[in-house]
Amino acid sequence: MTSRGAGTAFSRKNYRLSTEPEKSKVTGIVNSRLLNDYLHRVFTSADGSQPAAAYRKHLTFQNLQEHLERLLAEENGSEESRDQVAEGRLGPSTVVLDHTSGFEGLLLVDDDLLGVIGHSNFGSIRATTCVYKGKWIYEVLISSQGLMQIGWCTLNCRFNQEEGVGDTPDSYAYDGNRVRKWNVTTTNYGKSWAAGDIVSCLIDLDEGTIAFCLNGISLGTAFDNITRGAGMAYFPAISLSFKESVAFNFGSRPLRYPVEGYRPLQDPPVADLVKARKLLGYLKNVIHIGIDVTEGKLVEKDTSMWQLQGEPTVLITLAHIFNYFSPLMCKVYLVEDVLMTFLLSILERGGAVESHPLIQQLLDLMWLLMEEYEVHECLKQLLMSLLRAYRFSPIIPDLGLQIHYLRLTIAVLKHEKSRKYLLSNVLFDVLRSVVFFYIKSPLRVEEAGLQELIPTTWWPNRFTKEGKENKEVKEESAEERLRRRAYERGCQRLKKRIEVVEGLQVQILKLLLNNKDRGGGEASRYIFLNKFRKFLQENASNRGNLTVLCPPEYMVCFLHRLIAALRFFWDGHKAKTPAALSSEEAYVPPQLFYNGKVDYFDLQRLGGLLSHLKKTLKDDLAAKANILIDPAELQAVTMDDLDEDEESATSAAQSQRPSAALAIGGALARPAWLSSPTLGRANRFLSTAAVSLMNPRRPLGTLEKIKVLTLRVEQRTREDIEGTHGNEGLLLGRPPEEPDQPITENSLLEVLDGIVMMYNLSVHQQLGKMVGVSDDVNEYAMALKDTEEKISRCPKRRRDIHEELLKSQKVFSEKLNHLSRRLAWINVTIYSKEKMQDIYWLLRVCIRTIEHGDRTGSLFAFMPEFYLSVAMNSYSALKNYFSPVNSMEELPGYEETLMRLAAILAKHFADSRIVGTDIRDSLMQALASYVCYPHSLRAVERIPEEQRISMMKNLLAPYEQRPWAQTNWILVRLWRGCGFGYRYTRLPHLLKTKPEDASLPSLQRDLSVASFQKPCPSTLLQRHMADLLRSDRDLAPSFLNSVLNQLNWAFSEFIGMIQEIQQAAERLERNFVDSRQLKVCATCFDLSVSLLRVLEMTVTLAPEIFLDWNRPSSELLLRRLAQLLNQVLNRVTAERNLFDRVVNLRLPGLESVDHYPILVAVTGILVRLLVDTDVQGTERATAVLLADPCFQLRSIQYLLGHAEPSALAAAAPATDKRHFSLHTYTEYISAEELAKVEKMLNHLSEESKQAAATTLPTSEEDLCPICYAHPISAIFRPCSHKSCKACINQHLMNNKDCFFCKATITGVDDFTKPASS
């Protein structure tokens, strides 16, 4: 076929017809009479009438072209209409955004100049065309619901980074984010908009009014009496803040919501539209009319089952139609208005997509009768139009619009050739097909019809006034039960409708994952795999650049649909291959991580950089996996060096392209996600300061340069992935620890790997973000409950207060009705039981993958970090995000999964194969959170004993040179509930504050929630700790010395900081203490308390470490402990001291700083040493404590409220403030514990009196020259210098040189002063 255009004709050589009957039989062409009747029936006149047979011209294929051209030229008054439309408008006929001079600030504009993204504080841009007379309209597709002002402005308006459209006298704007209108001043107007809405902007220059519509619903007149007259013309304009994005439709596509009497700024292609509709009518006639050759007559046919069936007459007729129809189908307006509307009408009859084969037949025709470039462009525009229609359709109760567009998408993708073209060139490249898997959440539940679907609202009253979850299950009233059941029925109705959409979305993915369609090239699945991998690379490599990232809300939906499709194919393969694993046993084999068949881009591995691992583990790879690393690859310094050459070559190739084809990309080389409705191939970077660079329309050099690894997987074939005989494909390099058992198809393993990566990239963060709606419901429910209680208590005489309370009650009720319906939608689309099972399945996949990887020994280091991250985060999501709706305990195999995850955390938090500090911290934090809850703590106790002991040994490693705060927190949680006065969930002085105000500043957010859990100590793990400390004589001293060192540091830092805070508070001038300083101060205090609790735990579980002086370091440890305890007591218990003054300031951020937590921790240690031990232990502890020069008996008396008489006398006239006393905390400290403190005080009082009476004065010469606190008791070899034992023992732990002469000390002997002296 020759190339087509307006004046092309079919070659007579190809289509010459013969009138001879025998020729007719040979060619298959019907006789001339029947052909004439057929062509006249197909090609009717514009009014649909046909002239009488006697008067109509005899038609054959020879004169059909002339007849067709005459028909297409009928009633074509486009020239007159074009002149008429131009009146009242100035500027180019094709209206776009003015990217040369009509903008302010930094903006990213799509290559079609219709989509824009804000890239600065408040950028503004206007269109190229203005209007001064008549009624005009344009539409704006809202891609993000943030701060934007959309409307009209004049050429004289001057904008900047603070003032935009609506902030100057002759500019007018609507802002759906703040629900206001702007013209210098601002007032309330309209409704709030959301991503996926369409705003129509209308201006009537005859009446002088401006109005706006939202999704076709008028918001009313916004402005009247706007300035008109000579020189006043209005441009469409927008101002938008950073990251916000929209797309304009000035008329290049059919308006979604046209308004009668208003014209789009850009004229529709009227002449082409008339032609296309006529030609479509002729095409419909061909489908409707059949030729009965045997009877020699025309018959009506069932269009739904129409097939071409190789009839030459019909085929040549269609060829004539497509000769004119094909060029028109390359234009987006005509594709959307004519072709898409026609295809949708085919599916309107209902039924399954398979019951409408006509669409498949039409696509066959397009590929047969259209030039390749034409069918490519037509399919691309069709899918773009479908995506826009799907994304920007309003939510209606039955989701009918979304279902309609998805059904047509499925019908198009069912066509194999079309599917493969779209996969290779459009999906993921231009369209970003994940939009088809998104179900947007309605912001305005009224318009979405949720009031009809869920007429009765309900919300749980699970929280007390303090914000804590109420564990007491109250009896539900009959009215509440009816409301809850009605609400649940409404949620079920909603769920069934959403499941229809989700089912269609899964169908699309099943088509894309088809691996049986190998006709005409690679199967769809392998094309999808390569595109999917590149999509993941883009989102992993550009995590800081929000304009190219897939929105997380899309990712969540895509993940669930992909899991459903994957498990369908996985279990299908299992049915055919019984030896393979089912999807319930799925995991990713470890060889994928090191054999190089799957690209993980620059993502971090557990053992560090891939290039480093290849060098250090090349021998292990050769021995275990039979994989040899190319020496040339090892010589490359980094992968980035290789990329530099590729990028420079790419930029050089781009610079040689014709300038007209350039897509200028600044900071972006692909269409921005946030402006994806425009679907432009690339973006222009607009900057007020760079206009001179933009005018020539050339690349911006370095701005276009994007560091992205070129994927080798793009050239992979089915054999490369699945493998063939002697080639294992993706499973190359199976380690000996991995079972020789088929898992599933290799391609499905790569999809599974991609799903895990997707969860890590953004899905988990989005799951946490959407919990906010549930939190809002709880807050409003508490406010409503509180208001109702106030109404019941309000005196009848105070009608004014009663009326205000009733107004508040109404506001809270309306808000709760709205939120509960919105929450129903979110629970169905994000937190349903099925979605929870998907996340649980993903958790189990990660656990099995980690277990298999761990068995490979050193090769475990090749595993990407995100597998461990997803295992931890998915468990956290199941526990924290889904729990209000569904319970994790109901999931199958929950207990076993919990135990296996506990084993992973216990083993790998100190795994030497894991080098990344972030992932090690995450593992430590996850373990810390794990031991806070009874269920998960019991899981830790169920792991094998050797793993438990190994975990405790790692926890007891010295604190130096590692992040010790989390380790200490874990030990504290294992002890909490067993220590002295340590059974509280919240500190006594914080009971009246909200939990968020009382959270410990030193802990991460997850742990702050755990800090309010009921204590759940583990006696089993405590026993392991005690056994380790007793049996390993080197472990105990090193661990305890590190704890004492950290306690000394933390408490000293705390004291230094509160001194600075006190000095700042005493200054006369107004000043503010830095909140970060307060946070660090509170952190040091919390660390001091937790370290003291670990010491209490150690003293209680293994007191012999301090009191059995046969151990070489016991006396030293006891002396150090006593010294630190005395320092803490003296600082905290002194009357009117620094600590008291800062605590009384009650500064925000220092809520956790109080006497109780630190004093009861010290008391617990002292009671254990002085009361709860044998006689010899008590004597030793008492002697060491009293021998410390810092010991003051009044500090012990302070614990029970026994202040010094002089202090009481001085304080009496000043204040009546009660003194601290453990007796006031009877709910927290038992009578038995108080009795022990009394006993300890009596004992120390008596012993201190005796010590004072028997102590002989010591001359200064006999005191240790280092500490001046103890007598000389040790002499050094060989230098014979002297000191006390405590000083030299502590010194020798870190240094072997003498204090005085720096000689190396070889030994220390006891020293006793000779009697003669």
Side-chain angles (χ1 to χ4, degrees):
M1 192 179 297
T2 59
S3 62
R4 289 179 291 275
T8 57
F10 286 98
S11 167
R12 293 183 63 81
K13 180 179 177 183
N14 293 337
Y15 295 102
R16 186 187 307 132
L17 300 179
S18 173
T19 57
E20 298 176 29
E22 63 275 9
K23 295 279 181 126
S24 152
K25 291 177 183 177
V26 172
T27 60
I29 304 298
V30 298
N31 63 62
S32 61
R33 181 188 60 79
L34 189 57
L35 176 64
N36 178 56
D37 291 344
Y38 176 70
L39 294 178
H40 273 290
R41 283 282 298 275
V42 170
F43 297 101
T44 57
S45 59
D47 59 1
S49 62
Q50 298 182 40
Y55 298 100
R56 66 189 183 191
K57 182 179 178 180
H58 186 79
L59 286 181
T60 64
F61 284 131
Q62 281 80 358
N63 62 7
L64 178 58
Q65 180 182 342
E66 178 188 347
H67 177 69
L68 188 51
E69 287 177 351
R70 188 172 67 251
L71 288 176
L72 293 176
E74 286 179 0
E75 300 180 9
N76 193 351
S78 59
E79 294 299 326
E80 295 81 359
S81 63
R82 193 172 297 145
D83 293 339
Q84 184 182 356
V85 169
E87 186 180 358
R89 187 187 65 193
L90 294 172
S93 58
T94 301
V95 186
V96 293
L97 296 173
D98 188 350
H99 72 289
T100 56
S101 59
F103 65 92
E104 171 63 40
L106 296 174
L107 299 159
L108 286 163
V109 180
D110 277 5
D111 193 47
D112 59 6
L113 299 180
L114 291 174
V116 61
I117 310 171
H119 212 63
S120 60
N121 184 40
F122 204 50
S124 303
I125 192 168
R126 64 171 183 263
T128 54
T129 300
C130 61
V131 292
Y132 60 90
K133 178 182 176 183
K135 298 180 179 181
W136 303 91
I137 183 176
Y138 71 91
E139 290 181 342
V140 182
L141 285 65
I142 305 295
S143 301
S144 60
Q145 61 194 47
L147 178 58
M148 296 179 280
Q149 292 172 202
I150 301 171
W152 305 84
C153 75
T154 63
L155 193 62
N156 295 326
C157 294
R158 294 290 177 264
F159 305 129
N160 54 42
Q161 293 291 297
E162 303 298 329
E163 294 183 340
V165 181
D167 297 325
T168 58
D170 291 326
S171 64
Y172 306 87
Y174 160 49
D175 173 5
N177 177 258
R178 292 174 287 190
V179 197
R180 305 183 77 80
K181 60 181 180 181
W182 297 80
N183 175 233
V184 183
T185 59
T186 178
T187 53
N188 292 333
Y189 173 79
K191 298 179 180 178
S192 61
W193 60 35
D197 287 341
I198 296 180
V199 175
S200 304
C201 304
L202 298 85
I203 188 167
D204 184 346
L205 289 160
D206 299 331
E207 297 294 331
T209 61
I210 289 176
F212 298 92
C213 302
L214 188 62
N215 294 329
I217 300 172
S218 175
L219 302 177
T221 300
F223 306 100
D224 51 19
N225 297 322
I226 64 173
T227 308
R228 290 172 289 165
M232 295 302 295
Y234 288 91
F235 293 83
I238 184 173
S239 297
L240 64 175
S241 56
F242 183 65
K243 296 188 306 184
E244 305 305 332
S245 63
V246 299
F248 286 84
N249 181 12
F250 298 113
S252 60
R253 301 185 300 274
L255 294 179
R256 177 64 69 89
Y257 303 107
V259 178
E260 187 177 357
Y262 286 82
R263 294 173 176 169
L265 268 76
Q266 181 173 323
D267 299 331
V270 178
D272 288 343
L273 204 52
V274 171
K275 266 189 194 178
R277 286 172 179 165
K278 285 183 180 179
L279 290 163
L280 180 64
Y282 304 150
L283 178 60
K284 289 179 181 178
N285 291 339
V286 172
I287 296 170
H288 280 287
I289 301 166
I291 303 173
D292 189 341
V293 181
T294 56
E295 296 288 334
K297 65 179 182 179
L298 305 179
V299 294
E300 293 287 333
K301 294 184 69 174
D302 180 8
T303 59
S304 63
M305 304 305 293
W306 180 83
Q307 288 186 342
L308 185 58
Q309 295 178 337
E311 298 176 11
T313 304
V314 176
L315 182 60
I316 297 173
T317 305
L318 288 168
H320 278 83
I321 295 172
F322 271 90
N323 185 52
Y324 295 93
F325 194 54
S326 300
L328 298 176
M329 288 301 100
C330 296
K331 300 178 180 179
V332 58
Y333 195 104
L334 302 177
V335 169
E336 191 165 324
D337 189 80
V338 178
L339 180 62
M340 189 172 88
T341 305
F342 171 55
L343 295 177
L344 286 169
S345 67
I346 295 173
L347 295 173
E348 279 180 351
R349 301 167 194 165
V353 175
E354 292 81 0
S355 62
H356 301 285
L358 178 57
I359 293 178
Q360 305 296 307
Q361 295 291 318
L362 290 171
L363 289 169
D364 281 337
L365 274 180
M366 290 168 63
W367 282 99
L368 177 66
L369 299 176
M370 294 173 70
E371 297 288 357
E372 195 169 88
Y373 73 89
E374 291 172 339
V375 72
H376 288 176
E377 186 64 20
C378 179
L379 285 172
K380 175 185 170 184
Q381 297 296 348
L382 176 61
L383 261 290
M384 288 163 68
S385 299
L386 275 171
L387 177 134
R388 269 190 300 268
Y390 175 78
R391 185 178 178 192
F392 291 96
S393 292
I395 298 291
I396 56 177
D398 62 353
L399 297 166
L401 296 174
Q402 285 75 13
I403 291 171
H404 206 36
Y405 298 126
L406 286 174
R407 279 164 52 81
L408 180 52
T409 305
I410 291 171
V412 172
L413 291 175
K414 273 185 173 294
H415 189 264
E416 181 179 329
K417 196 170 183 180
S418 301
R419 175 172 69 247
K420 289 184 179 179
Y421 164 73
L422 291 169
L423 252 178
S424 300
N425 301 282
V426 181
L427 303 179
F428 291 107
D429 287 317
V430 178
L431 265 186
R432 307 300 187 98
S433 63
V434 295
V435 179
F436 280 117
F437 308 113
Y438 175 52
I439 303 178
K440 63 182 179 183
S441 174
L443 197 62
R444 299 173 300 277
V445 297
E446 299 82 7
E447 294 175 21
L450 292 185
Q451 285 179 327
E452 293 76 21
L453 204 59
I454 309 175
T456 306
T457 58
W458 173 84
W459 48 87
N461 293 311
R462 299 183 298 111
F463 289 82
T464 62
K465 286 185 181 180
E466 289 78 21
K468 294 188 292 185
E469 191 163 350
N470 192 359
K471 299 293 184 183
E472 298 178 10
V473 180
K474 294 183 179 179
E475 189 65 33
E476 195 176 34
S477 67
E479 182 186 356
E480 285 180 339
R481 189 181 307 111
L482 288 173
R483 280 184 59 203
R484 177 175 56 79
R485 289 177 178 173
Y487 178 72
E488 289 172 350
R489 286 195 297 271
C491 293
Q492 283 300 316
R493 288 193 293 270
L494 176 63
K495 183 178 181 181
K496 287 179 181 177
R497 297 184 180 186
I498 288 179
E499 282 175 347
V500 174
V501 178
E502 293 176 347
L504 293 172
Q505 292 171 333
V506 173
Q507 278 190 50
I508 293 176
L509 273 174
K510 287 179 181 177
L511 290 171
L512 300 184
L513 288 172
N514 184 357
N515 66 336
K516 307 299 181 189
D517 54 346
R518 298 175 195 165
E522 203 64 64
S524 298
R525 181 183 295 178
Y526 307 107
I527 305 172
F528 172 85
L529 271 182
N530 295 336
K531 297 295 179 181
F532 180 49
R533 206 71 195 173
K534 196 157 189 175
F535 165 79
L536 293 173
Q537 178 193 20
E538 205 168 55
N539 281 273
S541 304
N542 294 287
R543 299 196 72 175
N545 190 348
L546 294 174
T547 56
V548 296
L549 297 183
C550 174
E553 58 269 25
Y554 292 13
M555 281 282 208
V556 173
C557 296
F558 187 32
L559 177 107
H560 288 296
R561 310 302 175 268
L562 198 51
I563 287 176
L566 171 72
R567 297 190 69 177
F568 169 81
F569 284 107
W570 194 300
D571 290 330
H573 179 75
K574 165 71 176 174
K576 296 175 185 174
T577 314
L581 299 179
S582 70
S583 63
E584 283 297 332
E585 305 166 291
Y587 71 96
V588 180
Q591 53 264 47
L592 259 70
F593 307 136
Y594 56 73
N595 63 17
K597 296 288 186 178
V598 177
D599 194 338
Y600 289 98
F601 334 124
D602 55 352
L603 295 178
Q604 190 78 359
R605 308 299 182 103
L606 292 178
L609 293 174
L610 180 62
S611 55
H612 167 73
L613 292 174
K614 284 182 176 179
K615 293 176 185 177
T616 55
L617 298 177
K618 65 179 187 296
D619 294 337
D620 291 347
L621 282 172
K624 289 189 172 185
N626 200 25
I627 292 177
L628 297 177
I629 303 297
D630 185 0
E633 189 177 348
L634 293 177
Q635 290 173 5
V637 180
T638 62
M639 293 298 289
D640 290 340
D641 295 335
L642 302 177
D643 285 343
E644 296 286 341
D645 299 331
E646 292 173 6
E647 289 169 356
S648 59
T650 304
S651 60
Q654 289 176 345
S655 64
Q656 295 171 6
R657 297 175 188 168
S659 60
L662 278 177
I664 299 177
L668 292 178
R670 295 176 63 109
W673 259 106
L674 297 176
S675 65
S676 58
T678 65
L679 304 163
R681 176 67 184 180
N683 300 82
R684 305 173 194 277
F685 183 74
L686 302 187
S687 168
T688 310
V691 174
S692 60
L693 292 176
M694 290 305 306
N695 288 337
R697 297 188 67 175
R698 59 184 176 81
L700 293 182
T702 56
L703 282 176
E704 184 176 77
K705 197 173 185 181
I706 301 172
K707 186 167 287 190
V708 176
L709 291 175
T710 303
L711 287 181
R712 298 175 191 156
V713 296
E714 294 237 340
Q715 286 77 37
R716 294 184 307 168
T717 62
R718 177 185 181 278
E719 287 71 24
D720 297 326
I721 296 171
E722 302 291 2
T724 53
H725 298 293
N727 172 20
E728 295 181 276
L730 293 184
L731 297 183
L732 175 72
R734 181 176 62 84
E737 297 85 2
E738 186 67 11
D740 186 10
Q741 175 192 8
I743 303 172
T744 187
E745 295 170 284
N746 292 357
S747 50
L748 298 181
L749 293 174
E750 186 172 337
V751 175
L752 176 58
D753 177 76
I755 289 173
V756 179
M757 191 188 297
M758 275 174 58
Y759 186 90
N760 182 64
L761 290 176
S762 57
V763 171
H764 182 70
Q765 292 87 333
Q766 182 66 14
L767 289 178
K769 180 180 175 183
M770 296 309 294
V771 174
V773 179
S774 176
D775 294 339
D776 290 344
V777 169
N778 294 329
E779 287 183 14
Y780 278 101
M782 284 191 290
L784 179 62
K785 186 178 178 182
D786 186 48
T787 305
E788 289 172 346
E789 289 177 359
K790 289 178 180 177
I791 290 174
S792 64
R793 297 196 308 266
C794 181
K796 293 182 180 180
R797 64 180 182 277
R798 297 304 305 269
R799 295 184 61 184
D800 54 339
I801 297 177
H802 191 262
E803 289 176 2
E804 289 298 321
L805 288 172
L806 288 176
K807 288 180 183 177
S808 299
Q809 183 188 30
K810 183 181 178 182
V811 169
F812 292 145
S813 297
E814 289 175 353
K815 190 68 177 177
L816 275 168
N817 288 334
H818 170 88
L819 285 173
S820 64
R821 293 187 176 104
R822 187 157 178 250
L823 184 62
W825 183 284
I826 291 171
N827 284 340
V828 169
T829 55
I830 298 178
Y831 299 118
S832 68
K833 185 176 182 180
E834 292 74 17
K835 307 297 185 297
M836 186 181 192
Q837 289 169 345
D838 283 348
I839 304 300
Y840 182 61
W841 178 79
L842 201 59
L843 167 63
R844 289 161 67 94
V845 165
C846 290
I847 289 174
R848 282 189 287 269
T849 301
I850 294 166
E851 290 172 345
H852 279 262
D854 179 38
R855 296 178 196 139
T856 62
S858 59
L859 298 184
F860 181 58
F862 281 96
M863 180 178 287
E865 284 185 353
F866 64 77
Y867 272 89
L868 280 171
S869 298
V870 171
M872 294 181 284
N873 289 334
S874 56
Y875 168 72
S876 173
L878 290 167
K879 180 165 62 76
N880 298 321
Y881 304 155
F882 289 86
S883 53
V885 183
N886 301 291
S887 174
M888 190 179 174
E889 284 81 358
E890 298 172 2
L891 294 168
Y894 162 73
E895 295 288 344
E896 183 205 359
T897 302
L898 215 59
M899 186 195 73
R900 291 168 71 179
L901 180 58
I904 288 172
L905 296 176
K907 180 172 185 178
H908 297 300
F909 83 92
D911 192 338
S912 60
R913 295 171 294 181
I914 302 174
V915 300
T917 53
D918 289 343
I919 190 67
R920 290 174 73 95
D921 286 349
S922 298
L923 285 164
M924 184 72 76
Q925 186 173 327
L927 183 60
S929 177
Y930 225 71
V931 299
C932 292
Y933 300 91
H935 268 91
S936 49
L937 178 60
R938 302 299 166 246
V940 175
E941 294 178 341
R942 289 198 306 272
I943 65 177
E945 183 176 358
E946 63 273 12
Q947 291 187 20
R948 294 197 305 268
I949 294 173
S950 176
M951 177 189 77
M952 293 307 300
K953 190 168 184 177
N954 287 322
L955 289 173
L956 295 176
Y959 281 3
E960 281 80 14
Q961 298 180 350
R962 72 188 183 98
W964 54 271
Q966 296 287 12
T967 304
N968 199 75
W969 167 255
I970 294 172
L971 295 174
V972 167
R973 289 300 307 187
L974 298 178
W975 178 243
R976 188 173 182 179
C978 296
F980 183 91
Y982 200 37
R983 293 169 293 277
Y984 54 81
T985 54
R986 298 186 66 200
L987 291 168
H989 67 286
L990 296 179
L991 282 178
K992 295 182 180 179
T993 61
K994 293 182 179 179
E996 57 268 23
D997 296 332
S999 62
L1000 298 177
S1002 62
L1003 304 174
Q1004 297 295 326
R1005 185 173 301 175
D1006 288 348
L1007 296 182
S1008 67
V1009 176
S1011 64
F1012 300 112
Q1013 295 300 313
K1014 186 178 179 181
C1016 51
S1018 171
T1019 54
L1020 176 63
L1021 297 178
Q1022 288 176 19
R1023 189 163 64 248
H1024 289 323
M1025 177 179 172
D1027 293 341
L1028 284 167
L1029 291 173
R1030 290 193 191 101
S1031 60
D1032 193 333
R1033 288 184 172 263
D1034 295 328
L1035 176 66
S1038 60
F1039 168 68
L1040 288 170
N1041 270 303
S1042 66
V1043 173
L1044 292 168
N1045 289 341
Q1046 300 300 345
L1047 175 60
N1048 185 36
W1049 169 83
F1051 191 72
S1052 300
E1053 286 292 314
F1054 168 70
I1055 294 298
M1057 287 183 183
I1058 63 173
Q1059 285 175 345
E1060 295 177 12
I1061 292 169
Q1062 175 63 20
Q1063 290 168 5
E1066 288 177 349
R1067 294 192 192 114
L1068 295 177
E1069 67 273 13
R1070 184 178 176 83
N1071 59 83
F1072 300 92
V1073 181
D1074 186 1
S1075 60
R1076 287 175 297 180
Q1077 185 180 8
L1078 294 174
K1079 185 175 181 180
V1080 173
C1081 178
T1083 300
C1084 289
F1085 179 79
D1086 296 331
L1087 288 174
S1088 301
V1089 173
S1090 62
L1091 287 162
L1092 285 167
R1093 286 298 184 181
V1094 169
L1095 288 170
E1096 179 193 17
M1097 179 184 185
T1098 310
V1099 169
T1100 305
L1101 296 176
E1104 58 269 30
I1105 296 172
F1106 293 93
L1107 301 176
D1108 181 5
W1109 287 5
N1110 293 323
R1111 290 173 171 261
S1113 54
S1114 292
E1115 184 181 356
L1116 170 63
L1117 290 173
L1118 186 59
R1119 292 188 185 279
R1120 289 198 66 194
L1121 178 63
Q1123 182 184 18
L1124 282 170
L1125 293 180
N1126 283 327
Q1127 287 179 6
V1128 172
L1129 283 172
N1130 293 342
R1131 290 285 190 175
V1132 176
T1133 61
E1135 290 294 334
R1136 299 186 305 281
N1137 66 357
L1138 179 65
F1139 187 86
D1140 269 343
R1141 292 199 294 272
V1142 171
V1143 167
N1144 292 333
L1145 289 175
R1146 295 298 174 194
L1147 295 173
L1150 292 183
E1151 290 87 359
S1152 62
V1153 178
D1154 193 68
H1155 293 82
Y1156 180 85
I1158 195 164
L1159 288 180
V1160 291
V1162 172
T1163 305
I1165 299 172
L1166 292 174
V1167 166
R1168 187 68 187 88
L1169 289 172
L1170 300 172
V1171 178
D1172 294 340
T1173 187
D1174 56 23
V1175 176
Q1176 185 183 41
T1178 303
E1179 290 175 354
R1180 288 176 176 172
T1182 305
V1184 169
L1185 189 67
L1186 296 179
D1188 187 83
C1190 297
F1191 174 76
Q1192 296 182 24
L1193 185 62
R1194 65 157 188 82
S1195 297
I1196 309 298
Q1197 295 169 339
Y1198 181 93
L1199 299 175
L1200 296 172
H1202 302 164
E1204 292 178 303
S1206 59
L1208 286 172
T1215 178
D1216 295 332
K1217 183 178 181 301
R1218 294 174 61 189
H1219 285 268
F1220 175 86
S1221 174
L1222 294 177
H1223 288 294
T1224 60
Y1225 296 95
T1226 53
E1227 294 183 8
Y1228 295 86
I1229 302 173
S1230 66
E1232 182 184 358
E1233 289 173 329
L1234 285 171
K1236 289 181 179 180
V1237 179
E1238 295 277 6
K1239 184 178 178 181
M1240 178 184 72
L1241 176 58
N1242 294 333
H1243 170 71
L1244 287 175
S1245 300
E1246 189 64 32
E1247 290 295 324
S1248 60
K1249 289 177 184 177
Q1250 292 180 10
T1254 59
T1255 300
L1256 297 173
T1258 305
S1259 67
E1260 188 174 337
E1261 295 175 357
D1262 296 332
L1263 289 176
C1264 170
I1266 305 301
C1267 64
Y1268 283 93
H1270 306 291
I1272 294 172
S1273 56
I1275 183 169
F1276 317 155
R1277 291 198 308 266
C1279 60
S1280 300
H1281 286 111
K1282 306 178 188 69
S1283 75
C1284 65
K1285 284 185 179 179
C1287 287
I1288 188 59
N1289 287 342
Q1290 186 171 350
H1291 176 70
L1292 289 177
M1293 291 180 65
N1294 304 308
N1295 199 327
K1296 301 298 182 184
D1297 296 339
C1298 174
F1299 288 114
F1300 310 101
C1301 64
K1302 302 301 181 187
T1304 302
I1305 299 175
T1306 59
V1308 178
D1309 298 324
D1310 291 343
F1311 174 79
T1312 306
K1313 186 177 179 180
S1316 59
S1317 58

